[in-house]
PDB file of all heavy atoms in Angstrom:
ATOM      1  N   GLN V 318     -83.537  15.467 146.709  1.00 98.00           N
ATOM      2  CA  GLN V 318     -82.910  15.001 145.467  1.00 98.00           C
ATOM      3  C   GLN V 318     -83.708  15.474 144.253  1.00 98.00           C
ATOM      4  O   GLN V 318     -83.132  15.803 143.215  1.00 98.00           O
ATOM      5  CB  GLN V 318     -82.796  13.474 145.465  1.00 98.00           C
ATOM      6  CG  GLN V 318     -81.845  12.965 146.556  1.00 98.00           C
ATOM      7  CD  GLN V 318     -81.758  11.448 146.610  1.00 98.00           C
ATOM      8  OE1 GLN V 318     -82.567  10.730 146.033  1.00 98.00           O
ATOM      9  NE2 GLN V 318     -80.757  10.949 147.336  1.00 98.00           N
ATOM     10  N   GLN V 319     -85.015  15.522 144.362  1.00 98.00           N
ATOM     11  CA  GLN V 319     -85.817  16.039 143.265  1.00 98.00           C
ATOM     12  C   GLN V 319     -85.696  17.564 143.190  1.00 98.00           C
ATOM     13  O   GLN V 319     -85.739  18.156 142.103  1.00 98.00           O
ATOM     14  CB  GLN V 319     -87.280  15.610 143.409  1.00 98.00           C
ATOM     15  CG  GLN V 319     -87.483  14.110 143.194  1.00 98.00           C
ATOM     16  CD  GLN V 319     -87.336  13.346 144.497  1.00 98.00           C
ATOM     17  OE1 GLN V 319     -88.025  13.643 145.456  1.00 98.00           O
ATOM     18  NE2 GLN V 319     -86.447  12.378 144.542  1.00 98.00           N
ATOM     19  N   GLU V 320     -85.533  18.207 144.339  1.00 98.00           N
ATOM     20  CA  GLU V 320     -85.271  19.657 144.329  1.00 98.00           C
ATOM     21  C   GLU V 320     -83.963  19.931 143.610  1.00 98.00           C
ATOM     22  O   GLU V 320     -83.840  20.899 142.846  1.00 98.00           O
ATOM     23  CB  GLU V 320     -85.208  20.199 145.766  1.00 98.00           C
ATOM     24  CG  GLU V 320     -86.573  20.204 146.443  1.00 98.00           C
ATOM     25  CD  GLU V 320     -86.519  20.713 147.879  1.00 98.00           C
ATOM     26  OE1 GLU V 320     -85.562  20.337 148.605  1.00 98.00           O
ATOM     27  OE2 GLU V 320     -87.423  21.438 148.278  1.00 98.00           O
ATOM     28  N   HIS V 321     -82.985  19.060 143.824  1.00 98.00           N
ATOM     29  CA  HIS V 321     -81.704  19.208 143.140  1.00 98.00           C
ATOM     30  C   HIS V 321     -81.882  19.096 141.623  1.00 98.00           C
ATOM     31  O   HIS V 321     -81.330  19.902 140.855  1.00 98.00           O
ATOM     32  CB  HIS V 321     -80.722  18.139 143.658  1.00 98.00           C
ATOM     33  CG  HIS V 321     -79.472  18.038 142.842  1.00 98.00           C
ATOM     34  ND1 HIS V 321     -79.215  16.969 142.008  1.00 98.00           N
ATOM     35  CD2 HIS V 321     -78.426  18.893 142.714  1.00 98.00           C
ATOM     36  CE1 HIS V 321     -78.052  17.158 141.412  1.00 98.00           C
ATOM     37  NE2 HIS V 321     -77.542  18.305 141.814  1.00 98.00           N
ATOM     38  N   LEU V 322     -82.652  18.105 141.194  1.00 98.00           N
ATOM     39  CA  LEU V 322     -82.925  17.968 139.752  1.00 98.00           C
ATOM     40  C   LEU V 322     -83.596  19.247 139.227  1.00 98.00           C
ATOM     41  O   LEU V 322     -83.185  19.791 138.197  1.00 98.00           O
ATOM     42  CB  LEU V 322     -83.845  16.770 139.488  1.00 98.00           C
ATOM     43  CG  LEU V 322     -83.292  15.368 139.725  1.00 98.00           C
ATOM     44  CD1 LEU V 322     -84.376  14.330 139.518  1.00 98.00           C
ATOM     45  CD2 LEU V 322     -82.104  15.098 138.794  1.00 98.00           C
ATOM     46  N   SER V 323     -84.587  19.716 139.955  1.00 98.00           N
ATOM     47  CA  SER V 323     -85.362  20.879 139.491  1.00 98.00           C
ATOM     48  C   SER V 323     -84.499  22.133 139.402  1.00 98.00           C
ATOM     49  O   SER V 323     -84.621  22.906 138.467  1.00 98.00           O
ATOM     50  CB  SER V 323     -86.528  21.137 140.459  1.00 98.00           C
ATOM     51  OG  SER V 323     -87.393  20.031 140.476  1.00 98.00           O
ATOM     52  N   ARG V 324     -83.644  22.294 140.379  1.00 98.00           N
ATOM     53  CA  ARG V 324     -82.792  23.486 140.376  1.00 98.00           C
ATOM     54  C   ARG V 324     -81.845  23.508 139.192  1.00 98.00           C
ATOM     55  O   ARG V 324     -81.448  24.560 138.729  1.00 98.00           O
ATOM     56  CB  ARG V 324     -81.933  23.516 141.656  1.00 98.00           C
ATOM     57  CG  ARG V 324     -82.583  24.117 142.874  1.00 98.00           C
ATOM     58  CD  ARG V 324     -81.532  24.530 143.919  1.00 98.00           C
ATOM     59  NE  ARG V 324     -80.601  23.472 144.249  1.00 98.00           N
ATOM     60  CZ  ARG V 324     -80.856  22.491 145.131  1.00 98.00           C
ATOM     61  NH1 ARG V 324     -82.020  22.453 145.736  1.00 98.00           N
ATOM     62  NH2 ARG V 324     -79.957  21.573 145.387  1.00 98.00           N
ATOM     63  N   ASN V 325     -81.479  22.324 138.708  1.00 98.00           N
ATOM     64  CA  ASN V 325     -80.384  22.277 137.752  1.00 98.00           C
ATOM     65  C   ASN V 325     -80.774  21.869 136.327  1.00 98.00           C
ATOM     66  O   ASN V 325     -79.991  22.086 135.405  1.00 98.00           O
ATOM     67  CB  ASN V 325     -79.293  21.327 138.275  1.00 98.00           C
ATOM     68  CG  ASN V 325     -78.573  21.916 139.470  1.00 98.00           C
ATOM     69  OD1 ASN V 325     -77.730  22.799 139.332  1.00 98.00           O
ATOM     70  ND2 ASN V 325     -78.937  21.464 140.656  1.00 98.00           N
ATOM     71  N   LEU V 326     -81.916  21.268 136.159  1.00 98.00           N
ATOM     72  CA  LEU V 326     -82.309  20.827 134.812  1.00 98.00           C
ATOM     73  C   LEU V 326     -82.416  22.024 133.860  1.00 98.00           C
ATOM     74  O   LEU V 326     -82.961  23.059 134.204  1.00 98.00           O
ATOM     75  CB  LEU V 326     -83.647  20.080 134.857  1.00 98.00           C
ATOM     76  CG  LEU V 326     -83.560  18.573 135.120  1.00 98.00           C
ATOM     77  CD1 LEU V 326     -84.931  18.007 135.443  1.00 98.00           C
ATOM     78  CD2 LEU V 326     -82.939  17.829 133.948  1.00 98.00           C
ATOM     79  N   GLY V 327     -81.907  21.816 132.647  1.00 98.00           N
ATOM     80  CA  GLY V 327     -81.845  22.909 131.681  1.00 98.00           C
ATOM     81  C   GLY V 327     -83.181  23.378 131.153  1.00 98.00           C
ATOM     82  O   GLY V 327     -83.323  24.515 130.698  1.00 98.00           O
ATOM     83  N   ASN V 328     -84.181  22.530 131.214  1.00 98.00           N
ATOM     84  CA  ASN V 328     -85.479  22.885 130.634  1.00 98.00           C
ATOM     85  C   ASN V 328     -86.610  22.329 131.528  1.00 98.00           C
ATOM     86  O   ASN V 328     -87.289  21.392 131.164  1.00 98.00           O
ATOM     87  CB  ASN V 328     -85.573  22.317 129.213  1.00 98.00           C
ATOM     88  CG  ASN V 328     -86.728  22.928 128.421  1.00 98.00           C
ATOM     89  OD1 ASN V 328     -87.547  23.655 128.974  1.00 98.00           O
ATOM     90  ND2 ASN V 328     -86.781  22.622 127.127  1.00 98.00           N
ATOM     91  N   LEU V 329     -86.732  22.961 132.690  1.00 98.00           N
ATOM     92  CA  LEU V 329     -87.711  22.460 133.658  1.00 98.00           C
ATOM     93  C   LEU V 329     -89.119  22.934 133.325  1.00 98.00           C
ATOM     94  O   LEU V 329     -89.360  24.128 133.181  1.00 98.00           O
ATOM     95  CB  LEU V 329     -87.339  22.952 135.074  1.00 98.00           C
ATOM     96  CG  LEU V 329     -88.247  22.441 136.203  1.00 98.00           C
ATOM     97  CD1 LEU V 329     -88.022  20.969 136.449  1.00 98.00           C
ATOM     98  CD2 LEU V 329     -88.009  23.260 137.478  1.00 98.00           C
TER      99      LEU V 329
END
Side-chain angles (χ1 to χ4, degrees):
Chain V
Q318 295 178 346
Q319 291 89 56
E320 290 179 319
H321 170 252
L322 291 176
S323 298
R324 275 199 308 277
N325 290 284
L326 272 168
N328 194 352
L329 183 71

